[in-house]
Amino acid sequence: MTEPNVNTLWANVLVDELAKSGIGAACISPGSRSTPLTVAFAAHPEIETFSHLDERSSAFFGLGRARRTDTPTALVCTSGTAAANFHPAVLEASESRVPMVVLTADRPRELLDSGANQTTDQTKLYGDAVRWFRSLADPEADGRKLRSLRTTAARAVANATKTPAGPVHLNVPFRKPLEPTPVAGDIPDDFENRESLAANGRDGPFVSISRGQSVPADASLDSYARAIDTADRGLIVCGPTDNTPLTAAGLQSLAEATGFPVLADPLSGHRFGPHIADIPVCGGYDSYLDGAASDSTLPNPDIVIRFGASPTSKVLRKYLAAVETRQVILDPAGGWREAEFTASDLVISEPTAFATELSGRLPQDATTTEQSPYQERFMQLEQAYWSTVEAETDRTWFEGGILSTVCSRTPDPSTVFVSNSMPVRDMDRFGKPRAANLTVLGNRGVSGIDGITSTALGAGSATDDPLVLITGDIAFYHDMNGLLALDRCGVDATIIVIDNDGGGIFNILPIAEFDPPFTEQFQTPHGLDFEPVGSLYGCSFEHIGSLERFETAFEESVSSEGTEILCLTVDSEQSHEIREELHERVKKKRASWLNGDE
Ligand SMILES: Cc1ncc(C[n+]2csc(CCOP(=O)(O)OP(=O)(O)O)c2C)c(N)n1
Ligand SMILES: [Mg+2]
């Protein structure tokens, strides 16, 4: 390694160490101050680079890739507002526990507060949203400083991937020249021999960082086993997952040992998957549990065990609060993700270890006790619910039916990314559990409607599975820039835009009664025809207004190369009416379903 100048040496050492510590991909946006980093990343043989013109899209793309791969992505940008454009994705990564290493280039420190161009205070720019922040030293050919740099890089990756995972921020100042131009005297001739460890690092990471696994003490596990064993009825609730997931095997062992039904959020990793064929997985609770805590539909559970983040379903969250039962929250990070504040227990444990350890302590005949009839009731509700829903979704063109079609017809395996607002809610209500390998992802950390397309394409960049994105029209508009990644990053997708000309979700809020300002300020119909977007970004585009055509076009798209934007014209108010009518029908009929009346 003979470096032309100290910046090149510094950036190469940093990137070399990030790669050795597990970074395999970097999203890079153009800029001058970040030149040493960009050149180093672009030249690194083991790092895949993705060039993005827009930093906001870039950061979301990196987030999507990290979410799909469970390994941190690096982000690189120049100084100034470029760094601020990473902020939305940094917030989402923090709240949804996605590992990322954010590298912002900076001017030398003495230029702060001096009127120097493109200079702002980047110290702790993302506040508490990052797990770790370091402003690096000025580059120097100094053995100790370079060993510090390598140690910092290894620790940055470790801090991004710890529990809870999340973004870390390294601010990296450089002085000119920024290019790999030879600078006489910058690096002493014998430097590499003298400081080989600093310059070349080790064969593997400079610091191997290992971590223990948190599992509750025996006495605590025994007491939970006793509580489950003495409970007549219980539920397992799987909320949106993160990089410390409850594995299929862990869930299966707990479900079998307890006999408890499993209520699985569409983002939990357990609504869909080959393993659910053997597990009592429920997905229709958003309708049939509405108000069920206070009527005689179902007896209330005696204990609830919750994994993952807070469920998408408001009905489920309210139900769990209303039943006022013992509610155990599992969080390996010791966080609190239960905003009704009715949970009674917090277990700080790796979820799979907890599930497996607990299962092993339960009597093997647990499923033959009174818990079984309870599970059977849920299964009856599920069966009746899905046949009621399918009778509607098989013939009616509305937003819920689109999600139902996607969930039942997406090829096995696939990666499916679902936008916030109504699409994720409709997937919750209309996405029937299916024993197929669907990796369903969403940005539920902060539930923004920004960066949706980019996050989906980032996830798609990490896999050869077909990629399906379901987004609303406003979310699609918001991140149109992200579509450039289709071509520049070589990603194919089926993009389903549910076009109800505005924010359909606002129709169900009380503000809908106040017009003005409702239409102009909330629903915001834009009247945009997205058709030219197809030719702008080099993909095919089709307006679709019927279920029959959608079914055919969707199947054609997911089984062919290239990207299709399927822009579905729907009426938001009518969709709400159909949802509501179905919901009320389910509520009315659930008691008779359980009595076997029909
Ligand atoms: C970045 C951001 N800005 C604003 C919001 C508030 N918001 C929530 S849903 C929504 C409308 C979304 O419209 P669309 O994507 O078309 O979905 P639809 O409501 O029609 O299902 C808005 C503006 C948000 N969540 N994130
Ligand atoms: Mg909309």
Side-chain angles (χ1 to χ4, degrees), residues 56 399 419-423 425-426 446-451 471-476 478 498-506 522-524 526 572 576 579:
R56 186 173 70 173
E399 294 173 20
S419 181
N420 288 312
S421 202
M422 290 319 292
R425 290 178 171 83
D426 280 338
V446 213
S447 299
I449 51 141
D450 47 348
T471 180
D473 50 300
I474 302 247
F476 181 67
H478 213 295
I498 300 181
D499 188 0
N500 53 18
D501 196 15
I505 195 168
F506 295 114
F522 292 85
Q523 192 185 22
T524 56
H526 44 76
S572 134
H576 281 312
R579 284 187 195 97

Side-chain angles (χ1 to χ4, degrees), residues 52-336:
H52 294 274
L53 279 58
D54 173 331
E55 286 82 4
R56 186 173 70 173
S57 296
S58 177
F60 276 110
F61 186 98
L63 170 87
R65 191 174 167 98
R67 209 192 263 298
R68 182 68 179 82
T69 57
D70 269 347
T71 50
T73 318
L75 307 179
V76 178
C77 72
T78 189
S79 64
T81 56
N85 275 284
F86 284 164
H87 210 146
V90 167
L91 295 182
E92 176 61 29
S94 177
E95 294 298 331
S96 55
R97 304 182 174 180
V98 177
M100 302 225 278
V101 176
V102 180
L103 301 150
T104 55
D106 204 354
R107 314 262 150 168
R109 243 148 279 215
E110 69 274 11
L111 295 186
L112 243 191
D113 197 18
S114 69
N117 183 42
Q118 215 176 312
T119 306
T120 186
D121 189 357
Q122 297 179 188
T123 311
K124 299 197 172 178
L125 181 64
Y126 311 110
D128 286 343
V130 290
R131 304 285 178 265
W132 202 59
F133 167 81
R134 283 289 175 277
S135 214
L136 300 187
D138 283 340
E140 205 181 314
D142 174 84
R144 189 177 181 190
K145 273 193 162 187
L146 286 163
R147 290 196 303 278
S148 157
L149 180 65
R150 285 191 182 274
T151 304
T152 299
R155 291 181 65 206
V157 176
N159 277 313
T161 51
K162 70 182 179 187
T163 304
V168 299
H169 177 199
L170 299 180
N171 193 49
V172 196
F174 290 109
R175 306 174 185 278
K176 290 181 176 176
L178 302 163
E179 301 73 21
T181 322
V183 178
D186 232 11
I187 303 172
D189 286 344
D190 61 343
F191 181 75
E192 207 189 316
N193 285 338
R194 212 168 15 93
E195 296 289 355
S196 175
L197 180 63
N200 301 311
R202 308 185 203 278
D203 280 346
F206 199 66
V207 184
S208 289
I209 298 174
S210 42
R211 205 172 281 128
Q213 201 183 55
S214 61
V215 183
D218 278 348
S220 166
L221 285 163
D222 285 340
S223 96
Y224 284 112
R226 260 195 315 278
I228 289 172
D229 194 29
T230 52
D232 287 334
R233 294 167 297 276
L235 289 173
I236 297 169
V237 173
C238 297
T241 190
D242 53 38
N243 83 324
T244 315
L246 170 64
T247 62
L251 175 61
Q252 185 159 355
S253 68
L254 191 63
E256 278 169 7
T258 57
F260 293 174
V262 176
L263 310 188
D265 191 275
L267 304 177
S268 67
H270 298 302
R271 173 79 67 97
F272 311 99
H275 62 292
I276 72 155
D278 306 317
I279 302 175
V281 166
C282 305
Y285 48 80
D286 190 70
S287 277
Y288 59 68
L289 284 186
D290 191 7
S294 52
D295 68 13
S296 54
T297 307
L298 283 165
N300 289 343
D302 301 316
I303 187 163
V304 176
I305 305 174
R306 286 174 61 162
F307 295 91
S310 187
T312 305
S313 165
K314 185 175 169 189
V315 165
L316 178 55
R317 296 193 305 265
K318 297 284 176 201
Y319 175 78
L320 295 174
V323 293
E324 287 183 3
T325 190
R326 184 164 186 191
Q327 211 184 138
V328 183
I329 304 277
L330 244 289
D331 193 325
W336 190 263

